[in-house]
Structure formats: structure tokens, C-alpha cells
Amino acid sequence: MTPKRAILIDAMFTIFVPQDGLDRYEIKKKLIKKLLGKDVDVENLKRVYAQKRAYWENILPARHGDKWAIIDREIIRELLPDVPLEDAMRAGHDIAIEFLSNPDFYEVLDSTRYFLEKAVAHGIRVIIASNQDKERLNSLVLQFGLRSLISSVYASTEIKAEKPDPGFFYEILRRESLQPYECVMIGNNPQNDVEESENVGMTGVLYDRHDQYPLWPSNRIV
């Protein structure tokens, strides 16, 4: 087996995971309450989130820095139709920023930190590869004291492509002077992180923290 030179790893929900008792929906519920003073039902939030994300991700390009602000705005407009458009726009923008940058919602597990430290100690580059915003990801890296462990941060808004587009992976490989077979890609999304990275020629590993995919046919970390 060819020795691996680099680990590409997703950021949100892989390196940075919600603190106990939270998930992406509870975080958004808290932010809606904080910014608009209104409660929303989590089950309705899950339903609307799935609808709006599926719709807008197919419309807005990867380089669109306000993509998540627009998605969150539309979630608010669906769940809280009485909220004025201007308020929904402002809250959507603020939710998108806080969701990706507020360390109070997240933690880095001791096991994750140990894994990253061991990889670096063995001379393996650790590279963040995320469908997010680079500036906000860098902020989290600094706030959680990971700067010495992360060699590079790549985000879809900078790459101008996003997972599962193979161009996203190929561009990182080009910039890092790596071959696909030299890399492992770890992430929590089966399609975006694992299947497409394997199609590119990397070794894909699913990070299944909550054991959602017990029958996953290939590499899986729980």
C-alpha cells in the first residue's frame, strides 16, 4: 500500500462537533430565538431546512459567499411568515455567520485532537477541505488551538467548486502537489466527503459519530 502523505478532513461536524445536547437544528433554533426573539418547532425546522437547502444549493454557485445567509433567510420566512423581509434578511445573515464561527456551540473532541496530533507527528499533512467560508474556518482553527496541526484550509467559496464536485478535490490536490492515492478524505457526509473522494482516487473514510450508517460498506469511524 502506498504511504499516505495527507489527510483531507471536513470541518463542521467532523473536526468541530456540536457540544452535547446540540445539533445543527438546535443551534439554528437558538440563533433564531436570540436574533428574533421567537421560538420555532425543531421538527418543522428540520423539514424546512431540508427543503430550502436542497432548492438553494442547486441554484447558488459554490463561490456565492452569502449562500447560507440566503438559505437561513428563506427558512425564517417559511417558519415565521410575519417577520418583515428586512428582519429576515438581517437575521439570515447573522445566523450564517454565527453558525460557522461561534465557538460556544462547538467543541473539538479529545479523540479528534489526539488523532490530528498523531498524524502530524508521523509527518502527514492535515488539510481542511470544507464547503464553507475560509475566513470563518480559520477563526475556529485559531480559537480551538489547532493552528499547529492544520497545514492548510480550503473552502468552497475560495476553490470556486464545492463537494461533491470532483473539481473541488482536484484543485486541492493541484495546489498541494499531491496525487489522489496519497490522500485520505475524512468527513461526515457519505456522498460529499466519501463517495466522491473515492471516485477521484482517494481513500474515503466516513466519520459516523452517532452511528447513523451502521451498514456503510467501506471505511467508517464511530
Short mmCIF file of all heavy atoms in Angstrom, two decimals, residues 3-8 123-127 151-152 154 169-184 200 202:
data_model
loop_
_atom_site.label_atom_id
_atom_site.label_comp_id
_atom_site.label_asym_id
_atom_site.label_seq_id
_atom_site.Cartn_x
_atom_site.Cartn_y
_atom_site.Cartn_z
N PRO A 3 2.23 4.70 0.97
CA PRO A 3 2.13 5.52 2.18
C PRO A 3 1.33 6.79 1.91
O PRO A 3 1.43 7.39 0.83
CB PRO A 3 3.59 5.85 2.52
CG PRO A 3 4.39 4.81 1.82
CD PRO A 3 3.63 4.45 0.59
N LYS A 4 0.52 7.19 2.89
CA LYS A 4 -0.29 8.39 2.74
C LYS A 4 0.54 9.62 3.14
O LYS A 4 1.29 9.59 4.12
CB LYS A 4 -1.54 8.30 3.60
CG LYS A 4 -2.43 7.10 3.27
CD LYS A 4 -2.89 7.09 1.82
CE LYS A 4 -3.81 5.90 1.54
NZ LYS A 4 -4.20 5.81 0.12
N ARG A 5 0.39 10.67 2.37
CA ARG A 5 1.10 11.91 2.66
C ARG A 5 0.20 12.98 3.26
O ARG A 5 0.69 13.94 3.86
CB ARG A 5 1.73 12.47 1.37
CG ARG A 5 2.81 11.59 0.77
CD ARG A 5 3.31 12.18 -0.53
NE ARG A 5 3.81 13.55 -0.32
CZ ARG A 5 3.93 14.44 -1.31
NH1 ARG A 5 3.57 14.13 -2.55
NH2 ARG A 5 4.39 15.65 -1.06
N ALA A 6 -1.12 12.82 3.10
CA ALA A 6 -2.02 13.88 3.56
C ALA A 6 -3.37 13.32 3.96
O ALA A 6 -3.85 12.32 3.38
CB ALA A 6 -2.21 14.94 2.47
N ILE A 7 -3.97 13.96 4.94
CA ILE A 7 -5.36 13.71 5.32
C ILE A 7 -6.15 14.96 5.00
O ILE A 7 -5.86 16.04 5.53
CB ILE A 7 -5.48 13.39 6.82
CG1 ILE A 7 -4.79 12.06 7.15
CG2 ILE A 7 -6.95 13.35 7.24
CD1 ILE A 7 -4.68 11.80 8.64
N LEU A 8 -7.13 14.83 4.10
CA LEU A 8 -8.10 15.89 3.90
C LEU A 8 -9.26 15.60 4.84
O LEU A 8 -9.71 14.45 4.94
CB LEU A 8 -8.58 15.92 2.45
CG LEU A 8 -7.69 16.63 1.43
CD1 LEU A 8 -6.36 15.91 1.26
CD2 LEU A 8 -8.41 16.74 0.08
N GLY A 123 4.36 12.94 10.22
CA GLY A 123 4.70 13.67 9.01
C GLY A 123 3.61 13.74 7.97
O GLY A 123 3.88 13.99 6.78
N ILE A 124 2.37 13.54 8.38
CA ILE A 124 1.23 13.59 7.46
C ILE A 124 0.58 14.96 7.53
O ILE A 124 0.28 15.46 8.62
CB ILE A 124 0.20 12.50 7.82
CG1 ILE A 124 0.85 11.11 7.68
CG2 ILE A 124 -1.03 12.61 6.93
CD1 ILE A 124 -0.03 9.98 8.17
N ARG A 125 0.40 15.57 6.39
CA ARG A 125 -0.28 16.87 6.33
C ARG A 125 -1.77 16.71 6.64
O ARG A 125 -2.42 15.81 6.12
CB ARG A 125 -0.14 17.48 4.95
CG ARG A 125 1.10 18.31 4.73
CD ARG A 125 1.13 18.84 3.30
NE ARG A 125 1.77 17.89 2.40
CZ ARG A 125 1.82 18.04 1.07
NH1 ARG A 125 1.24 19.08 0.50
NH2 ARG A 125 2.42 17.14 0.33
N VAL A 126 -2.30 17.60 7.47
CA VAL A 126 -3.73 17.64 7.75
C VAL A 126 -4.30 18.87 7.07
O VAL A 126 -3.89 20.00 7.38
CB VAL A 126 -4.02 17.66 9.26
CG1 VAL A 126 -5.52 17.74 9.50
CG2 VAL A 126 -3.43 16.43 9.94
N ILE A 127 -5.25 18.66 6.16
CA ILE A 127 -5.77 19.73 5.31
C ILE A 127 -7.28 19.79 5.47
O ILE A 127 -7.97 18.79 5.23
CB ILE A 127 -5.42 19.46 3.83
CG1 ILE A 127 -3.89 19.40 3.64
CG2 ILE A 127 -6.05 20.51 2.92
CD1 ILE A 127 -3.48 18.79 2.31
N SER A 151 -2.30 22.15 8.33
CA SER A 151 -1.33 22.76 7.42
C SER A 151 -1.97 23.72 6.43
O SER A 151 -1.37 24.72 6.04
CB SER A 151 -0.57 21.66 6.65
OG SER A 151 -1.43 20.96 5.77
N SER A 152 -3.21 23.43 6.02
CA SER A 152 -3.90 24.29 5.04
C SER A 152 -5.40 24.21 5.28
O SER A 152 -5.91 23.21 5.77
CB SER A 152 -3.61 23.84 3.60
OG SER A 152 -2.23 23.82 3.32
N TYR A 154 -8.93 24.85 3.03
CA TYR A 154 -9.55 25.12 1.73
C TYR A 154 -11.07 25.13 1.90
O TYR A 154 -11.64 24.24 2.53
CB TYR A 154 -9.14 24.08 0.70
CG TYR A 154 -7.68 24.15 0.33
CD1 TYR A 154 -6.78 23.25 0.87
CD2 TYR A 154 -7.21 25.13 -0.53
CE1 TYR A 154 -5.43 23.32 0.55
CE2 TYR A 154 -5.86 25.22 -0.86
CZ TYR A 154 -4.98 24.31 -0.31
OH TYR A 154 -3.65 24.39 -0.63
N PHE A 169 -11.87 18.57 -5.20
CA PHE A 169 -10.75 17.75 -4.75
C PHE A 169 -9.53 17.92 -5.65
O PHE A 169 -8.39 18.02 -5.16
CB PHE A 169 -11.17 16.28 -4.71
CG PHE A 169 -12.27 16.00 -3.73
CD1 PHE A 169 -13.56 15.75 -4.17
CD2 PHE A 169 -12.02 15.99 -2.37
CE1 PHE A 169 -14.58 15.48 -3.27
CE2 PHE A 169 -13.04 15.72 -1.46
CZ PHE A 169 -14.32 15.47 -1.91
N TYR A 170 -9.74 17.95 -6.94
CA TYR A 170 -8.62 18.07 -7.86
C TYR A 170 -7.86 19.39 -7.66
O TYR A 170 -6.63 19.43 -7.79
CB TYR A 170 -9.10 17.96 -9.31
CG TYR A 170 -9.41 16.55 -9.74
CD1 TYR A 170 -10.63 16.23 -10.33
CD2 TYR A 170 -8.47 15.52 -9.58
CE1 TYR A 170 -10.93 14.93 -10.73
CE2 TYR A 170 -8.75 14.22 -9.98
CZ TYR A 170 -9.98 13.94 -10.55
OH TYR A 170 -10.27 12.66 -10.94
N GLU A 171 -8.58 20.45 -7.35
CA GLU A 171 -7.92 21.73 -7.15
C GLU A 171 -7.05 21.71 -5.90
O GLU A 171 -5.93 22.26 -5.89
CB GLU A 171 -8.95 22.86 -7.06
CG GLU A 171 -8.37 24.25 -6.85
CD GLU A 171 -7.44 24.72 -7.96
OE1 GLU A 171 -7.44 24.11 -9.06
OE2 GLU A 171 -6.71 25.70 -7.73
N ILE A 172 -7.54 21.08 -4.83
CA ILE A 172 -6.72 20.96 -3.62
C ILE A 172 -5.49 20.11 -3.91
O ILE A 172 -4.36 20.46 -3.50
CB ILE A 172 -7.54 20.36 -2.47
CG1 ILE A 172 -8.66 21.32 -2.05
CG2 ILE A 172 -6.63 20.04 -1.27
CD1 ILE A 172 -9.59 20.77 -1.00
N LEU A 173 -5.66 19.01 -4.62
CA LEU A 173 -4.52 18.16 -4.96
C LEU A 173 -3.50 18.94 -5.78
O LEU A 173 -2.28 18.81 -5.56
CB LEU A 173 -4.99 16.94 -5.75
CG LEU A 173 -5.86 15.94 -4.99
CD1 LEU A 173 -6.43 14.89 -5.95
CD2 LEU A 173 -5.07 15.25 -3.88
N ARG A 174 -3.97 19.75 -6.71
CA ARG A 174 -3.05 20.54 -7.55
C ARG A 174 -2.26 21.52 -6.69
O ARG A 174 -1.03 21.62 -6.82
CB ARG A 174 -3.84 21.29 -8.62
CG ARG A 174 -2.97 22.06 -9.60
CD ARG A 174 -3.79 22.95 -10.50
NE ARG A 174 -4.38 24.07 -9.76
CZ ARG A 174 -3.70 25.17 -9.42
NH1 ARG A 174 -2.42 25.32 -9.73
NH2 ARG A 174 -4.32 26.14 -8.77
N ARG A 175 -2.96 22.24 -5.82
CA ARG A 175 -2.29 23.25 -5.00
C ARG A 175 -1.31 22.62 -4.01
O ARG A 175 -0.30 23.24 -3.66
CB ARG A 175 -3.33 24.08 -4.24
CG ARG A 175 -4.23 24.91 -5.14
CD ARG A 175 -5.07 25.86 -4.31
NE ARG A 175 -6.12 26.50 -5.10
CZ ARG A 175 -6.87 27.50 -4.67
NH1 ARG A 175 -6.71 27.96 -3.44
NH2 ARG A 175 -7.81 28.02 -5.43
N GLU A 176 -1.62 21.42 -3.56
CA GLU A 176 -0.77 20.76 -2.56
C GLU A 176 0.26 19.82 -3.18
O GLU A 176 1.04 19.19 -2.46
CB GLU A 176 -1.65 19.98 -1.58
CG GLU A 176 -2.56 20.85 -0.73
CD GLU A 176 -1.80 21.59 0.37
OE1 GLU A 176 -0.77 21.07 0.83
OE2 GLU A 176 -2.25 22.70 0.75
N SER A 177 0.26 19.73 -4.52
CA SER A 177 1.18 18.82 -5.24
C SER A 177 1.06 17.39 -4.73
O SER A 177 2.05 16.73 -4.39
CB SER A 177 2.63 19.33 -5.11
OG SER A 177 2.78 20.61 -5.68
N LEU A 178 -0.16 16.91 -4.67
CA LEU A 178 -0.45 15.57 -4.18
C LEU A 178 -1.13 14.75 -5.27
O LEU A 178 -1.82 15.30 -6.15
CB LEU A 178 -1.38 15.63 -2.96
CG LEU A 178 -0.79 16.22 -1.68
CD1 LEU A 178 -1.91 16.54 -0.69
CD2 LEU A 178 0.21 15.26 -1.04
N GLN A 179 -0.96 13.44 -5.18
CA GLN A 179 -1.71 12.51 -6.02
C GLN A 179 -2.87 11.95 -5.20
O GLN A 179 -2.76 11.80 -3.97
CB GLN A 179 -0.80 11.37 -6.48
CG GLN A 179 0.34 11.80 -7.38
CD GLN A 179 -0.15 12.45 -8.66
OE1 GLN A 179 -1.13 11.98 -9.27
NE2 GLN A 179 0.51 13.51 -9.08
N PRO A 180 -3.99 11.62 -5.83
CA PRO A 180 -5.14 11.11 -5.08
C PRO A 180 -4.81 9.92 -4.19
O PRO A 180 -5.27 9.84 -3.05
CB PRO A 180 -6.14 10.73 -6.17
CG PRO A 180 -5.79 11.60 -7.33
CD PRO A 180 -4.30 11.75 -7.27
N TYR A 181 -4.00 8.99 -4.70
CA TYR A 181 -3.71 7.78 -3.94
C TYR A 181 -2.85 8.05 -2.70
O TYR A 181 -2.69 7.18 -1.85
CB TYR A 181 -3.04 6.73 -4.82
CG TYR A 181 -1.76 7.19 -5.49
CD1 TYR A 181 -0.55 7.21 -4.79
CD2 TYR A 181 -1.75 7.60 -6.82
CE1 TYR A 181 0.63 7.63 -5.40
CE2 TYR A 181 -0.58 8.02 -7.43
CZ TYR A 181 0.60 8.03 -6.72
OH TYR A 181 1.76 8.46 -7.33
N GLU A 182 -2.33 9.26 -2.59
CA GLU A 182 -1.53 9.63 -1.42
C GLU A 182 -2.39 10.22 -0.30
O GLU A 182 -1.86 10.55 0.76
CB GLU A 182 -0.47 10.67 -1.80
CG GLU A 182 0.54 10.18 -2.83
CD GLU A 182 1.51 11.27 -3.26
OE1 GLU A 182 1.04 12.38 -3.56
OE2 GLU A 182 2.72 10.99 -3.30
N CYS A 183 -3.70 10.31 -0.52
CA CYS A 183 -4.57 11.05 0.40
C CYS A 183 -5.71 10.21 0.95
O CYS A 183 -6.26 9.33 0.28
CB CYS A 183 -5.17 12.26 -0.32
SG CYS A 183 -3.94 13.40 -0.99
N VAL A 184 -6.07 10.55 2.18
CA VAL A 184 -7.29 10.06 2.81
C VAL A 184 -8.23 11.25 2.97
O VAL A 184 -7.79 12.35 3.33
CB VAL A 184 -7.00 9.44 4.20
CG1 VAL A 184 -8.29 9.05 4.90
CG2 VAL A 184 -6.07 8.24 4.06
N VAL A 200 -12.48 10.01 -7.07
CA VAL A 200 -11.31 10.76 -7.50
C VAL A 200 -10.04 9.91 -7.35
O VAL A 200 -9.04 10.14 -8.03
CB VAL A 200 -11.19 12.08 -6.70
CG1 VAL A 200 -9.85 12.72 -6.85
CG2 VAL A 200 -12.29 13.05 -7.14
N MET A 202 -8.98 8.82 -3.97
CA MET A 202 -8.52 8.87 -2.58
C MET A 202 -9.11 7.69 -1.80
O MET A 202 -10.00 6.99 -2.28
CB MET A 202 -8.98 10.18 -1.92
CG MET A 202 -8.48 11.43 -2.57
SD MET A 202 -9.09 12.90 -1.67
CE MET A 202 -8.59 14.21 -2.79
#
